[in-house]
């Protein structure tokens, strides 16, 4: 699983269209629906810490895990500005470790799609289960097979964001794994600096995700469409999963 490096410093510009406040409102509402109004919450794949900050602002004691030193550097700059006591850990989500359990674990912006092997995704789910309090809640989103097959596919996208110009090229195979090549040009005075990132995402069917969650010791509580938070339709591009840690022993992590 690749970690962002040069892309970290322009990530927030590139993601400026994401409605983080709306996402945070949904996450907080979902956590409270399951009785989690305070306590420790972990964000897996926290990136530059935008969502981590919003959840901290709502009163949760936040931990952020990401495997990119550069992304965490951006997150820690936000922490210095906000004064929130957020613990950031540079760890791969396939082998993350905590000192104790947490009340909930969240992961947004399709971080789970970066786990391109089913066995590794099961490992992540088992680790999440292992570090949740009894009846703890796991909320994550994923880009759907429809998005990989019909939207990302083998398409190229060009973004002109003022001081940032980006070319996004995709190659999608039969297993719905998409190779993504980003070339971005950042204005510096009269010149542009070019940087590149290469990474992969994979889509999983709902049936596969439900099976893996069950094997990891979760009860699947709800699935909704990421843009509307209604039940997902056939053309949903993002699905949000809410799962509850099953009472009893945590899933064994190999």
């Amino acid at each position: 699983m690749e970690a962002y490096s040069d892309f970290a410093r322009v990530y927030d510009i590139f993601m400026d269209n994401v409605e983080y406040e709306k996402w945070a409102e949904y996450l907080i509402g979902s956590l409270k629906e399951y009785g989690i109004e305070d306590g420790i919450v972990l964000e897996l794949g926290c990136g530059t810490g935008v969502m981590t900050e919003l959840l901290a602002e709502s009163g949760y004691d936040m931990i952020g895990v990401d495997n990119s030193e550069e992304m965490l550097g951006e997150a820690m700059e936000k922490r210095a500005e906000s004064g929130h006591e957020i613990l950031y850990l540079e760890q791969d989500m396939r082998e993350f470790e905590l000192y104790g359990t947490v009340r909930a674990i969240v992961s947004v912006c399709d971080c789970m799609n970066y786990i391109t092997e089913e066995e590794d995704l099961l490992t992540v789910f088992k680790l999440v289960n292992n570090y949740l309090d009894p009846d703890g809640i796991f909320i994550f989103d994923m880009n759907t097979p429809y998005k990989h097959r019909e939207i990302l596919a083998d398409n190229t996208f060009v973004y002109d964001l003022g001081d940032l110009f980006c070319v996004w090229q995709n190659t999608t195979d039969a297993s719905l794994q998409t190779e993504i090549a980003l070339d971005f040009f950042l204005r510096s005075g009269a010149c542009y600096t070019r940087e590149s990132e290469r990474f992969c995402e994979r889509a999983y069917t709902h049936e596969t995700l439900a099976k893996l969650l069950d094997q990891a010791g979760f009860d699947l509580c709800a699935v909704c469409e990421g843009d509307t938070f209604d039940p997902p339709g056939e053309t949903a591009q993002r699905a949000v999963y809410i799962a509850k840690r099953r009472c009893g022993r945590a899933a064994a992590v190999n």
Side-chain angles (χ1 to χ4, degrees), residues 194-206:
R194 178 180 177 177
E195 303 288 354
S196 300
E197 291 282 358
R198 302 290 184 271
F199 54 93
C200 295
E201 284 197 12
R202 179 184 172 187
Y204 293 88
T205 65
H206 169 75

Side-chain angles (χ1 to χ4, degrees), residues 11-20 161:
Y11 183 83
D12 287 339
I13 301 173
F14 189 72
M15 298 290 283
D16 187 57
N17 64 326
V18 176
E19 297 180 286
Y20 283 107
L161 304 173

Side-chain angles (χ1 to χ4, degrees), residues 190-254:
C191 302
Y192 282 87
T193 301
R194 178 180 177 177
E195 303 288 354
S196 300
E197 291 282 358
R198 302 290 184 271
F199 54 93
C200 295
E201 284 197 12
R202 179 184 172 187
Y204 293 88
T205 65
H206 169 75
E207 291 74 18
T208 296
L209 293 171
K211 177 191 71 174
L212 295 179
L213 286 167
D214 180 67
Q215 290 176 356
F218 285 100
D219 292 323
L220 182 56
C221 300
V223 185
C224 68
E225 187 167 343
D227 294 328
T228 64
F229 306 121
D230 294 327
E234 293 183 1
T235 59
Q237 295 186 35
R238 184 182 303 273
V240 181
Y241 285 76
I242 302 178
K244 186 176 184 181
R245 185 181 184 272
R246 197 174 296 139
C247 294
R249 294 182 59 188
V253 181
N254 295 328

Side-chain angles (χ1 to χ4, degrees), residues 14-33:
F14 189 72
M15 298 290 283
D16 187 57
N17 64 326
V18 176
E19 297 180 286
Y20 283 107
E21 290 79 7
K22 181 179 177 181
W23 263 102
E25 182 180 346
Y26 174 79
L27 289 175
I28 294 163
S30 298
L31 292 173
K32 290 184 176 180
E33 182 179 344

Side-chain angles (χ1 to χ4, degrees), residues 54-249:
L54 290 170
L55 293 176
E57 188 175 324
S58 295
Y60 293 102
D61 298 320
M62 293 303 300
I63 301 173
V65 166
D66 201 280
N67 69 336
S68 168
E69 179 182 357
E70 290 80 7
M71 296 287 271
L72 289 176
E74 299 290 328
M76 286 186 279
E77 287 187 14
K78 292 183 178 68
R79 181 183 64 184
E81 293 177 5
S82 70
H84 290 139
E85 294 184 3
I86 300 170
L87 173 63
Y88 285 113
L89 302 172
E90 184 184 343
Q91 296 182 346
D92 189 315
M93 69 174 72
R94 295 170 296 185
E95 50 190 21
F96 75 92
E97 295 183 62
L98 303 177
Y99 294 111
T101 59
V102 300
R103 299 200 67 189
I105 295 178
V106 301
S107 182
V108 298
C109 294
D110 50 88
C111 288
M112 291 294 157
N113 288 104
Y114 289 81
I115 308 297
T116 57
E117 297 294 332
E118 188 173 316
E119 182 179 347
D120 287 342
L121 189 59
L122 177 59
T123 296
V124 173
F125 288 173
K126 286 182 176 181
L127 283 168
V128 168
N129 182 289
N130 185 62
Y131 285 111
L132 278 173
D133 290 346
D135 295 329
I137 296 298
F138 178 33
I139 306 175
F140 66 96
D141 74 336
M142 296 196 84
N143 285 332
T144 63
Y146 173 84
K147 182 173 182 177
H148 277 250
R149 186 176 59 251
E150 303 294 339
I151 307 300
L152 297 179
D154 294 320
N155 292 321
T156 297
F157 305 96
V158 177
Y159 301 91
D160 186 351
L161 304 173
D163 289 338
L164 176 65
F165 187 84
C166 180
V167 180
W168 175 320
Q169 301 179 80
N170 302 309
T171 305
T172 301
D173 64 20
S175 70
L176 297 181
Q177 179 165 304
T178 300
E179 300 275 349
I180 299 172
L182 288 181
D183 291 290
F184 51 96
F185 304 81
L186 185 63
R187 187 195 302 272
S188 177
C191 302
Y192 282 87
T193 301
R194 178 180 177 177
E195 303 288 354
S196 300
E197 291 282 358
R198 302 290 184 271
F199 54 93
C200 295
E201 284 197 12
R202 179 184 172 187
Y204 293 88
T205 65
H206 169 75
E207 291 74 18
T208 296
L209 293 171
K211 177 191 71 174
L212 295 179
L213 286 167
D214 180 67
Q215 290 176 356
F218 285 100
D219 292 323
L220 182 56
C221 300
V223 185
C224 68
E225 187 167 343
D227 294 328
T228 64
F229 306 121
D230 294 327
E234 293 183 1
T235 59
Q237 295 186 35
R238 184 182 303 273
V240 181
Y241 285 76
I242 302 178
K244 186 176 184 181
R245 185 181 184 272
R246 197 174 296 139
C247 294
R249 294 182 59 188

